[in-house]
Structure formats: structure tokens, C-alpha cells
Amino acid sequence: MAITNAQYDAIMREYENRQTRNRHLLEERTAQVYREVEGYRELSESIAAISVSQGKKLLEGDENALEDLRAAIHSLSAMKGQLLAAHGFPADFLTPLYDCPDCRDTGYINGEKCHCFRQAVIRLLYEQSGIQELLERENFSVLSYDYYQGEDLGRFAKTVEQCKNFIKTFQSDYRNLFFYGTVGTGKSFLSGCIARELIEGGHSVIYFSAAGLFETLSRNMFDYKNKDDALSFHEDIEACDLLIIDDLGTEYTKNFAPSVLFSLLNQRHLHKKSTIISTNLSLEDVRNRYSDRVFSRITTQYHICKFTGPDIRMYKKRLQNRK
């Protein structure tokens, strides 16, 4: 993901803090059990002593030493479990503690970044872009159909179902969504709903306003001092599970925008990585602004969803002013 060395170090320090915190908690629990459960410490020490003894026998050529050790440990462990239960402790009271059992709070599984590490990075990106605040207020729990009527209502309800199906089949089906229509009709809202659901499902989601995305891409093109960060950023937006480009058309127009957008959409399509684009532009405006290549890519590889209806943001603002 597109993070600096300092941000990477901060994430790894958090893993170290988790390990230290959980190790201290386990030590406190162990001390409590030693105080309150008579004979438990002796059983633990017996397991250690037997392990050393049987290890020596194994080195001396005793073929049964390993099997005898397993049987002894199994028996002693069962006795320890019985003692814990007899004193009202849960069976897993002294099991090693991890915030993430998958990577055991190391951040890596077999040399690959764990899903919890990826989400930690995504949280950093969210903090930079303000997406966390967006997802707190834009999610399916606050979805309302009250602002739509007639054909607008039918169109919006159908799009909501398509969004829910997009989430449900995200793991198995590669699809893209293109939201277009008038201002304030729910395009960004539904993008946020999808983002939250997928993040909670463990998928990496990167959200950018079109203005922010093209500004960052433009800056990276001419930042020769930080080529590694620029390369990492490009890899992230091309490889994340879902990329959301919000408000396409609001970015400052530059000659490179159509070609860069086409390249980005093409790379994500080649890797079968889903993209959601929202815009207030009409389809004709998209074609005129971003070239026939981009228009063809969108109309052939994206599910087109049209939004119509009142400007909900303005409607809510008027209601607030009346209070």
C-alpha cells in the first residue's frame, strides 16, 4: 500500500504493542492461576521436565521417546484443564492471546502481509482522505427511499438491489459499477455503503475523489525524488480489491487525464479488480471529455446505473433551515 517508511514503522510498533500487552495479560493470568489453583504450577513444571528428559532419550536413540512424550504431555494437560475447570476458570484462560489469530499479531503469514496489516494500511489512507467519517454517516443502516417518487423511486430501488448483489457476489464475480445522474441523488452515498460493507468483510478498498486522484497522479508524474512512493501508489490503486472514483468530472482538466484514466481502468480490468465510478456528467459528456476509448471501456465493462430525482442534500439543508 502507499505508505511511507514512518507509517510502516508505526504499524509495526502497534503490532509490538499488541504482543507486549497480550503477553503481560497472559503473565498476569498465569500468576493468578498459580496463586489460586493448588498443584497447577507443579504440573506445568512437570511438563517442562519431562520434555527435557524425553528429548535426551530421543537423542540417545530411544525410538519410543517422542510417542511417550506426547502421551505424557496429553495426560498432564488434561489434568491441568481439570484443575482450571474445578476452580471456575475457562478452559482457554491460559491460551496465548492474539488480536489477530491468523498472523498471531506479527502482520505477516508465510511472508505475505496479513489481512489485518492491509486493513491497518487502508485505515491510514482513509484518515488521509476522510473516508472514515464518510462511512460513519453513509451506510445501509441509514438508507431511505423517502426522497424518491415514481420512476425515480423505482430506478433507485433497483440500483440499491444491484449494489447489494455486487457486495454479495464480490468474492466470486468480477464486476464494475458506473453511477451517473443529477447532483445529490445518492451516487456517493451508495458508493460509501458498498465501501463499508466490503471493508468489514476484509476487502481492501481505496476511495478517491476524482480531483484528489488526478492531483496525486499528476504530482507523482513529476516527483523524481520519491519514485518509490509513486510506484507504490500506482501499484495500490491498480491492485486494491475495490477502487472508488467519486465525482468524475470535478477534477481540474489536463491533457493527460483521459490517457491516465484509460490506463488505470485498463490495468484494473486486466487484473479483474472492481471499480466504482460516480459522476454528475451525462454519458455524452463523459465521451466528449475523456475520449472514445474511455467511454467504450465504461459502457462495455461497467454496469451503468442512472440516478434521477431531487437533490437530497439541498432538501435536507432546507429542512434544517426551517427548524
Side-chain angles (χ1 to χ4, degrees), residues 80-311:
K80 289 171 68 177
Q82 291 169 2
L83 277 178
L84 283 179
H87 287 78
F89 289 98
D92 62 350
F93 190 67
L94 294 183
T95 345
L97 302 166
Y98 305 108
D99 286 16
C100 178
D102 295 333
C103 70
R104 298 189 173 186
D105 294 340
T106 64
Y108 287 83
I109 301 175
N110 298 324
E112 299 291 331
K113 290 185 178 70
C114 179
H115 59 84
C116 65
F117 187 100
R118 294 196 300 270
Q119 287 307 122
V121 175
I122 292 297
R123 283 195 296 273
L124 283 176
L125 294 175
Y126 283 174
E127 290 170 5
Q128 295 168 3
S129 65
I131 190 71
Q132 286 178 318
E133 182 181 348
L134 174 72
L135 297 187
E136 288 177 3
R137 67 176 186 270
E138 298 189 355
N139 55 77
F140 282 120
S141 68
V142 296
L143 173 70
S144 174
Y145 296 95
D146 295 343
Y147 305 104
Y148 304 89
Q149 295 181 354
E151 185 178 346
D152 298 334
L153 174 60
R155 184 177 286 120
F156 182 72
K158 182 179 179 180
T159 300
V160 170
E161 289 307 309
Q162 290 170 342
C163 290
K164 291 182 176 180
N165 190 53
F166 177 86
I167 296 166
K168 182 179 179 180
T169 62
F170 188 80
Q171 193 74 24
S172 56
D173 294 344
Y174 161 66
R175 285 188 294 168
N176 304 296
L177 298 175
F178 184 82
F179 297 159
Y180 82 102
T182 50
V183 175
T185 47
K187 300 182 294 297
S188 298
F189 174 82
L190 285 184
S191 296
C193 291
I194 292 173
R196 176 163 178 163
E197 293 295 319
L198 292 181
I199 289 171
E200 290 182 353
H203 297 285
S204 57
V205 178
I206 294 180
Y207 168 97
F208 264 104
S209 67
L213 176 61
F214 281 100
E215 179 185 350
T216 305
L217 290 171
S218 174
R219 185 171 61 249
N220 287 342
M221 287 180 66
F222 305 103
D223 188 357
Y224 301 105
K225 295 181 180 179
N226 296 296
K227 282 299 181 182
D228 289 342
D229 288 344
L231 178 61
S232 178
F233 173 78
H234 279 272
E235 290 175 348
D236 294 340
I237 61 173
E238 289 178 1
C240 62
D241 295 333
L242 175 66
L243 173 65
I244 298 176
I245 305 175
D246 196 28
D247 277 341
L248 186 70
T250 58
E251 73 280 356
Y252 178 68
T253 304
K254 292 185 178 180
N255 292 332
F256 73 89
S259 60
V260 170
L261 179 60
F262 177 81
S263 176
L264 174 58
L265 300 186
N266 188 56
Q267 286 300 315
R268 289 190 60 78
H269 175 66
L270 291 175
H271 290 95
K272 302 300 180 186
K273 296 294 184 179
S274 295
T275 305
I276 297 177
I277 300 174
S278 71
T279 182
N280 296 329
L281 300 175
S282 67
L283 291 179
E284 182 179 356
D285 289 338
V286 171
R287 167 181 275 172
N288 294 336
R289 185 174 182 128
Y290 296 101
S291 78
D292 287 337
R293 288 199 310 167
V294 171
F295 182 78
S296 175
R297 181 71 70 193
I298 290 173
T299 53
T300 58
Q301 296 173 353
Y302 284 65
H303 189 88
I304 308 296
C305 302
K306 185 177 182 180
F307 287 68
T308 56
D311 186 335

Side-chain angles (χ1 to χ4, degrees), residues 24-130:
H24 287 168
L25 179 57
L26 184 59
E27 290 171 353
E28 291 172 1
R29 289 184 175 186
T30 301
Q32 179 185 357
V33 169
Y34 283 176
R35 288 194 309 269
E36 300 179 11
V37 181
E38 185 178 354
Y40 193 93
R41 181 195 293 269
E42 289 74 13
L43 287 175
S44 297
E45 293 173 348
S46 296
I47 290 178
I50 290 173
S51 297
V52 173
S53 173
Q54 294 302 109
K56 290 180 179 178
K57 290 182 180 180
L58 185 63
L59 292 174
E60 293 170 356
D62 186 343
E63 297 180 355
N64 297 319
L66 185 57
E67 190 61 35
D68 292 343
L69 174 62
R70 288 173 179 164
I73 290 178
H74 179 76
S75 176
L76 291 172
S77 297
M79 294 171 64
K80 289 171 68 177
Q82 291 169 2
L83 277 178
L84 283 179
H87 287 78
F89 289 98
D92 62 350
F93 190 67
L94 294 183
T95 345
L97 302 166
Y98 305 108
D99 286 16
C100 178
D102 295 333
C103 70
R104 298 189 173 186
D105 294 340
T106 64
Y108 287 83
I109 301 175
N110 298 324
E112 299 291 331
K113 290 185 178 70
C114 179
H115 59 84
C116 65
F117 187 100
R118 294 196 300 270
Q119 287 307 122
V121 175
I122 292 297
R123 283 195 296 273
L124 283 176
L125 294 175
Y126 283 174
E127 290 170 5
Q128 295 168 3
S129 65

